[in-house]
Amino acid sequence: MAADTSQLVADVITEILENLSVRDLLSALLVNREWCQVAVPMYWKAPFSYKYKRSMTALKIYELFLERGSSTLIGTTENSARGTTIQETPMLYDYPLFLKELNYTNLLALKGIDGKVNAILQMLINRGIRLNTFIMDNTGSKSERHYEIWTTPRYASIFSSLIRVEIRTPFPKNHVIKTLAKNCTMLSYLDINLHDNSIDRVKKTLNYLEEFISVQRCPLNLRLVFPNGPGKMLIKTLQSQFESLKRLELVKWNFSECDDWGWLKKCPNLTEFAITSSLQTRVSAILDVKYETYHSKSSNNSRLTTAHWHFDKDGETSSMPNFYFHSGKSSMVQYYDIDDFQYDYHYLEARTRKSRRKN
């Protein structure tokens, strides 16, 4: 009974903390031991999805674990001039164990990360980490070589449990779709830019896309971006896997040669379909469903307009007005300036220790 009560308390605390900002989440560490035990994993599940300064602090803590291997002891330094030694002190938590979301772009953008990516990924392997979310926003200043490290086969287990993937910049030479097809079977959400200048690689990519869709265990929410991409080839790929589609958004593809959209009616699980093209009227006539228009900002100087069709299980217009891929929620957590809310790893440890002493 005590165990059941303890779990109930943890569940209630989790419900409360899920609605807090990162600033308030850190404050929650001080409430008591129970709140601390819930708040710490929640904060550290996505340490590189914060703004730069917080992500930089997370990297420093990860580096401490790299120096100590599997140990959670930190703090040993020697001063030969004074002949003094500061003894190792244990970290209260093995923070990398809590990692669930990896913003790979943010990680690679951090100062001093060069030469450490492989070591960090190996550390995650050693700890048996299984991610559920993986994000690559853009290439930044790093070369493409840095961005392909995660596709190395020896790191496959880290990504085998992915549920959500967002890759917004094309990586044609990195075989991203191939990596996902070979390693992931549990994805429910994929938002990816497939742009490539090589028609041979495009054909291979679409073949791997078909393989990827076929191995997923649940219907997919799929958003595919490809400026002037071969729409006819894509439709052929999707038609072969129509039962696996739940939500589908096709952005900037060239559908000028596509006339048959009736296959969408055969998708038993499809609840939302969207495209960016001038075919709205034709598609609506085929589907016998009115479309809704959504305007989003694709860059600083341009806007993207998509036409959306919503369905319920019977193929009628859905009563849900929302646009699934445009919820407006950012995975980036607001950063509070260091002067506004002092934070570093020593500070977090001190706060955590204080809360653990409370009953």
Side-chain angles (χ1 to χ4, degrees):
M1 181 64 69
D4 293 341
T5 303
S6 177
Q7 183 58 50
L8 178 61
V9 171
D11 291 343
V12 172
I13 295 174
T14 299
E15 288 289 331
I16 296 172
L17 299 188
E18 283 180 345
N19 296 313
L20 298 184
S21 67
V22 63
R23 182 182 186 182
D24 293 334
L25 188 60
L26 289 173
S27 296
L29 290 170
L30 289 176
V31 175
N32 57 33
R33 180 179 299 179
E34 286 76 16
W35 281 60
C36 176
Q37 290 174 341
V38 176
V40 168
M42 291 181 68
Y43 180 87
W44 283 95
K45 69 180 180 181
F48 304 110
S49 290
Y50 302 127
K51 293 297 179 71
Y52 185 85
K53 289 184 179 180
R54 288 193 184 278
S55 294
M56 192 68 220
T57 300
L59 176 61
K60 291 179 180 178
I61 294 181
Y62 270 48
E63 288 173 344
L64 294 175
F65 284 96
L66 289 178
E67 294 170 2
R68 294 297 165 193
S70 60
S71 173
T72 57
L73 298 178
I74 66 165
T76 297
T77 58
E78 295 185 359
N79 189 324
S80 56
R82 297 183 179 181
T84 60
T85 299
I86 300 176
Q87 296 297 321
E88 290 182 337
T89 57
M91 294 281 272
L92 291 176
Y93 294 95
D94 191 344
Y95 297 107
L97 278 177
F98 302 128
L99 185 67
K100 293 297 181 183
E101 174 180 312
L102 177 58
N103 190 314
Y104 198 59
T105 300
N106 283 5
L107 176 65
L108 293 185
L110 298 177
K111 182 179 180 181
I113 191 62
D114 290 345
K116 298 176 183 176
V117 177
N118 280 302
I120 289 176
L121 292 177
Q122 187 59 52
M123 178 177 67
L124 300 181
I125 286 284
N126 295 342
R127 283 169 166 75
I129 299 301
R130 300 293 184 270
L131 298 175
N132 59 32
T133 302
F134 182 70
I135 301 169
M136 286 200 294
D137 290 313
N138 55 67
T139 56
S141 60
K142 300 291 183 181
S143 67
E144 193 166 315
R145 176 177 57 84
H146 291 86
Y147 282 85
E148 67 182 358
I149 294 176
W150 73 277
T151 64
T152 305
R154 70 174 180 269
Y155 302 134
S157 63
I158 301 174
F159 306 96
S160 61
S161 297
L162 283 173
I163 298 173
R164 182 184 182 98
V165 173
E166 302 174 26
I167 301 178
R168 302 190 181 95
T169 297
F171 299 87
K173 298 178 182 178
N174 293 345
H175 307 295
V176 171
I177 285 291
K178 177 181 178 181
T179 300
L180 296 177
K182 299 299 182 183
N183 299 329
C184 305
T185 61
M186 301 171 61
L187 250 70
S188 63
Y189 183 107
L190 175 62
D191 182 348
I192 187 169
N193 190 322
L194 296 175
H195 182 264
D196 197 322
N197 293 322
S198 168
I199 188 62
D200 290 334
R201 284 201 301 263
V202 169
K203 291 179 180 178
K204 291 181 180 179
T205 293
L206 293 179
N207 287 336
Y208 282 122
L209 177 63
E210 182 176 351
E211 178 184 345
F212 162 77
I213 296 175
S214 69
V215 298
Q216 302 311 307
R217 300 178 184 177
C218 62
L220 266 171
N221 300 296
L222 192 60
R223 185 174 189 266
L224 304 175
V225 181
F226 195 145
N228 203 36
K232 193 171 184 178
M233 293 173 59
L234 173 66
I235 294 302
K236 184 178 180 180
T237 298
L238 296 176
Q239 285 177 324
S240 67
Q241 302 295 330
F242 67 92
E243 293 183 350
S244 300
L245 304 175
K246 184 174 183 180
R247 296 180 179 90
L248 179 64
E249 182 168 316
L250 308 177
V251 181
K252 298 184 178 181
W253 294 77
N254 183 354
F255 294 117
S256 60
E257 298 181 0
C258 301
D259 297 319
D260 181 16
W261 295 93
W263 65 276
L264 291 169
K265 292 183 176 181
K266 301 177 182 178
C267 301
N269 300 305
L270 190 66
T271 60
E272 181 179 357
F273 173 65
I275 55 173
T276 54
S277 75
S278 58
L279 302 175
Q280 297 93 321
T281 303
R282 186 189 308 175
V283 175
S284 284
I286 295 174
L287 298 179
D288 195 25
V289 175
K290 294 182 179 180
Y291 68 88
E292 300 173 79
T293 301
Y294 183 85
H295 302 282
S296 60
K297 190 174 183 180
S298 59
S299 66
N300 292 333
N301 300 316
S302 64
R303 296 181 67 84
L304 189 68
T305 300
T306 47
H308 294 251
W309 292 263
H310 293 88
F311 314 94
D312 63 19
K313 292 182 179 180
D314 297 322
E316 301 295 334
T317 304
S318 172
S319 60
M320 296 178 60
N322 61 307
F323 303 96
Y324 181 76
F325 292 101
H326 307 280
S327 64
K329 294 182 179 180
S330 172
S331 60
M332 190 75 73
V333 179
Q334 178 63 40
Y335 171 74
Y336 292 86
D337 189 81
I338 201 72
D339 294 329
D340 178 48
F341 192 73
Q342 182 65 33
Y343 169 69
D344 59 25
Y345 62 87
H346 295 300
Y347 179 64
L348 177 59
E349 280 285 297
R351 292 171 65 91
T352 305
R353 291 177 190 279
K354 183 176 180 180
S355 68
R356 283 170 62 93
R357 288 196 295 268
K358 292 185 177 182
N359 293 316

